[in-house]
Amino acid sequence: MDMFIKFLVAAVLAGTPLLFGTVGEILSEKVGHLNLGVEGMMSIGACSGFMAGYFSDSFAFALIAAALGGALGALIYAFLTVTLMANQNVTGLTLTIFGIGLSNFIGVYALGFSETGTLKLPDGITAHMRNIHIPGLSDLPVVGELLFSYNPFVYLGILIAIIMGLYLGRTQTGLNVQSIGENPAAADAAGIRVIFWKYFNILLGGAICGIGGAYCSMIINRGVWISNNVGGLGWIAVALVIFAGWKPVNAIGGSFVFGALRVLKYYMPKSVIDLPVAFYDMLPFLITALVLVISSMRKSRGIGLPAALGLNYYREER
Amino acid sequence: MSQTPANPACAIECRQITKTFGSVVANDKIDLDVRYGEILALLGENGSGKTTLMNMLSGIYHPDSGSISIAGQPVSINSPVDAMHLGIGMIHQHFKLVDAFTAMDNIVLGTHGKRLAPKVLKERILEICHSVGLEIDPEKRVYEMSVSEKQTVEILKVLYRDAKILILDEPTAVLTPQETGKLFAILRRMREQGRAIIIITHKLQEVLEISDRVTILWKGKSIDTVNTAETNARQLTELMVGRPVSLSIQRPQPQDPQPVMDVQGLTVKKPDGAIALDGISFDIRSGEILGIAGVAGSGQKELCETIAGLTKSEKGHITFKGEEILGKTPAEIISLGIHMGFVPEDRLGMGLVASMGMVDNMLLKSYRSHKGMFIDRKPARALAEELIRRLEIVTPGEDTPVRLLSGGNVQKVLIGREIESGPSVLITAYPVRGLDINSSYTVYDLLNEQKQKGVAVVFVGEDLDVLLELCDRILVLCHGRITGLVDASSVTKEQIGLMMTGSHSGEVQQ
Ligand SMILES: Nc1ncnc2c1ncn2[C@@H]1O[C@H](COP(=O)(O)OP(=O)(O)OP(=O)(O)O)[C@@H](O)[C@H]1O
Ligand SMILES: [Mg+2]
């Protein structure tokens, strides 16, 4: 039992960076832009967040810097695909390669100035990243551990997902924005500022991805800088978007499920099932493939996959 | 309608509007005036620049030069938002709706402010419906809708924003005569409310019926504006085409018609399980044109698709020269010489690859018969050139992607390719949808030419006058049953109309 609760907590922790990446990517896909640069934007956010924290000693500043870093990556993508109408897949892939490279480069460069040969966040910041403690609530048995004792990123991620869910699903603006991903010509004819909202959503999505990146560089390795700290999570996030059916709120559950798959190998008692570790590493991708098959078999056509995903829009084109 | 401006005369004044696309001059110094409280028809051949001009009023394109005034004020329309603020609403030739959304969501799309509670919104929409006589289920999703329902949504979108100026680009091209009648009643009511309406249509009788004035475009120029009351179909055609044209269809006597295809007891179900065709039997003969009449959705589409091998049948037989073709693949059926010129509601969706030029689109149909490893474009190019000449297709060149052509010209490419492929049975459904008068007659001539070559032609049509003039025999479908198979020369339009509603059965003569 105790082991099981530990497993669930670990799942949530492992799923949180995925949650940021997924919600960010949903925002971009909802305006019709498949951004394969999630990994890159997360890497830039990881780097800018970490460095800002390292040099400024301020947690809030680190968060803002991470968001700005992610948004900057998204800006490059948006300028190329929205304004210059470059191919979305190629641009996204390039952004990933660029983002990882830039992040590692800056990391190595900063390491050169460090006397100890490592980069470690100052205590002033790590203090903010510890698990929260709400007197009373956090002390409850089981529930306290499961719901009220995570680090602030977890709650921030859930909050962002819920707000984005409300934004897309419940407001007129959200409806307008979704129509851009469905049929940009229709949205344009209906008087929606297509270009503006594309930039808005892509950049907002990038900022959210950036915060997810900061989680990777600041939390996962306990405040010590390592290269390639995002480590492929951005790619899983791209797949998770489908798993979540393009709904930010579903992404919460989805990312925790994938988080669970990622940590399963540490918690599955060898006495029950003895499988090679490689099998567990493959599991998230196997599930993704299954999800793709099942979701393509479902006949219903609601608001899910944006119909104009991947297609650039130019008003006078026909 | 709240109020009409101080100068009620002019809703729109366009002066010397010019718009070019690369080397194509789509609009050449066009003048256009529209008043409040009138319906202006815009008439012109395919590619004469009607849609382009309207797109400039609705902010999709920006004119290269010229001026536009709305309600007496000079304006610059840079985007659809600007057009909306000026009270201009447009219903596009190809609908601009979000398929995954409900009617309601499409109607409020792009409006600002708080999202209304569905109940309030529904009431408001139904109120508008009521004021002009429209009908809609606000919660139905667009992909489940018929064309006329989609159009209703488009109209409501415009009315919801209380547009004072309405532009309808070929709204009737895909409607049945009954639906067109309803639409016209609604337009008249909107005219009474003082709105200005521009309607584009290729059907002259509709122009004469609905409009107050007609402006005629010819090769991108506005050449004349006439009062509808003082004109007639002949004069309008002459102005539009630039020379006199005869408006009668020939019907050469069939030469030795022989049954080539025999349909026996054919029963077909729709995907949802409803009966589409209910045990119908008839034959198709060489050297004659068999017309198929019926209210839209009476089984015409299923009949064509079954013959082409695209839909499975429940019961029955179709034999071609004694050989059963049910169960064969579309490719096998085509190789027997049974060709289909089906013109769907969505022209670009079926049969043509929008981003390819004419030459490559010709190749799509003929590559099978070709031997060797590499493509030989020469015959396809010759065919494309031949079509451009014969059907007077307006295009900068045979390699221009077909999506850049005007709506009607896209259609000519589609229909021309099927006709020129030398079939022994040619099935055409709605081949003149969206075609201007002149091109329509060219298509009729082409069909007649095929008939005289001994091809068995099936013509699924919606215009009864044309069916009566062009076809040798007419088969009337009603709810998937044959309610008449008659000799076209000895039947009246009224009789066919009654058979179409199933209230009268024509003698089934073989
Ligand atoms: N976006 C575009 N790019 C290139 N050429 C264009 C574009 N839009 C229109 N054209 C060209 O401009 C000309 C006029 O086209 P337009 O669509 O206005 O014709 P139309 O009068 O509406 O014809 P139809 O009755 O067939 O719809 C055509 O030759 C067309 O190929
Ligand atoms: Mg047009």
Side-chain angles (χ1 to χ4, degrees), chain A residues 318, chain B residues 50-52 93 169-170 200 202 406-408:
Chain A
R318 65 174 191 183
Chain B
K50 303 177 296 294
T51 302
T52 305
Q93 190 165 10
D169 194 353
E170 295 192 32
I200 299 178
H202 289 296
S406 80

Side-chain angles (χ1 to χ4, degrees), chain A residues 168-172 175-176 178-179 182-183 185-193 301-303 315-318, chain B residues 19 59-62 78-81 84 96-98 100-101 105 108-111 113 115 143 403-406:
Chain A
L168 288 176
R170 293 291 165 81
T171 63
Q172 182 63 44
L175 187 74
N176 294 350
Q178 293 205 43
S179 74
E182 294 289 337
N183 185 345
D188 197 10
I192 295 163
R193 287 148 70 205
R301 283 179 59 194
I303 305 176
R315 185 184 283 160
E316 298 206 4
E317 181 68 78
R318 65 174 191 183
Chain B
K19 175 77 184 174
I60 305 274
Y61 298 161
H62 193 72
N78 292 314
S79 69
V81 185
M84 203 176 294
K96 301 210 175 195
L97 294 172
V98 180
F101 285 8
D105 285 346
V108 294
L109 199 64
T111 57
R115 188 161 175 183
Y143 63 81
R403 90 188 120 83
L404 293 183
L405 307 191
S406 80

